């Protein structure tokens, strides 16, 4: 009888030891970390974003690593691209419109490691777009001003326009430049004389250039903080009035 009791006691003790060992093993299981090391716009014309992430410890070579973007309108994360690990790093590229969004990378479970998600990072993605992509807010001037944006069928980039007015007159067009930081303008003066082309913050002049008859030039300017960008052409000395063709781009997050 004594031997039977000792045997039963041993079995009970062994039975209690198994879950204890499992709990201890689970609490000390190794963890993997993921982090966005860098995120930047690598092609502002095409809208390319390049993300470099770090993974520690390094996963198996060629592990698929998704890039998630938070979509405010849907209130959820969405995969927008993915890359494949090489050692402890991964490089992911994606083409996105101008935006201010939050990103993260993730890695699925891979024994003995559980899944891991990087800390979130907010990023301003600046992309070139036509100045008139969102349309003119206002236009005006003096001397029968005409600010004509080339229609989408002929100018899908929404960057081209013709500015005309009578002799001694001027013409301007205004766009909402909220979220933009730079303006780049090619100008072609078709006037039979001298004109001035300028950029304004509302009605306040920012920069200008004088153009001789039938010449081309560039008018570029940092417009950080400008929310009402005005492009204007004014007659200085001509026989018929200002006539300027433009190809204008804005570097924006929208």
């Amino acid at each position: 009888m004594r031997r039977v009791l000792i045997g039963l006691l041993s079995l009970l003790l062994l039975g209690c030891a198994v879950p204890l060992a499992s709990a201890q093993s689970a609490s000390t299981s190794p963890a993997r970390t993921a982090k966005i090391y860098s995120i930047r716009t690598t092609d502002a014309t095409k809208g390319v974003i390049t993300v470099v992430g770090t993974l520690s410890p390094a996963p198996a070579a060629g592990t698929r690593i998704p890039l998630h973007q938070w979509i405010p309108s849907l209130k959820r994360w969405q995969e927008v691209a993915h890359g494949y690990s090489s050692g402890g790093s991964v490089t992911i590229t994606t083409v996105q419109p101008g935006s201010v969004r939050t990103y993260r990378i993730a890695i699925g479970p891979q024994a003995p490691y559980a899944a891991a998600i990087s800390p979130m990072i907010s990023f301003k993605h600046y992309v070139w777009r036509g100045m008139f992509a969102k349309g003119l807010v206002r236009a005006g001037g003096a001397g029968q001003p005409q600010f004509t944006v080339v229609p989408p069928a002929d100018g899908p980039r929404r960057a081209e326009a013709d500015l005309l007015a009578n002799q001694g007159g001027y013409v301007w067009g205004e766009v909402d430049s909220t979220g933009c930081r730079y303006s780049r303008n090619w100008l072609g003066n078709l006037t039979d004389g001298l004109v001035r082309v300028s950029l304004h913050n509302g009605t306040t002049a920012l920069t200008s250039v004088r153009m001789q008859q039938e010449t081309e030039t560039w008018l570029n300017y940092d417009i950080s903080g400008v929310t009402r960008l005005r492009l204007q052409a004014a007659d200085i000395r001509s026989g018929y009035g200002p006539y300027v063709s433009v190809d204008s781009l804005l570097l924006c997050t929208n």
Side-chain angles (χ1 to χ4, degrees), residues 138 174-178 200-203 225-230:
R138 294 190 303 164
E174 192 171 275
V175 298
D176 182 354
S177 56
T178 303
H200 299 248
N201 180 5
T203 58
V226 176
T227 58
R228 291 188 304 132
L229 183 66
R230 179 176 293 189

Side-chain angles (χ1 to χ4, degrees), residues 43-59:
D43 189 329
T45 300
K46 296 179 180 179
V48 179
I49 296 175
T50 299
V51 176
V52 177
T54 58
L55 310 160
S56 181

Side-chain angles (χ1 to χ4, degrees), residues 8-33:
L8 289 173
L9 182 59
S10 298
L11 288 172
L12 288 172
L13 289 173
L14 286 171
C16 293
V18 172
L20 180 62
S22 299
Q24 186 175 16
S25 175
S27 65
T28 59
S29 60
R32 170 172 279 137
T33 60

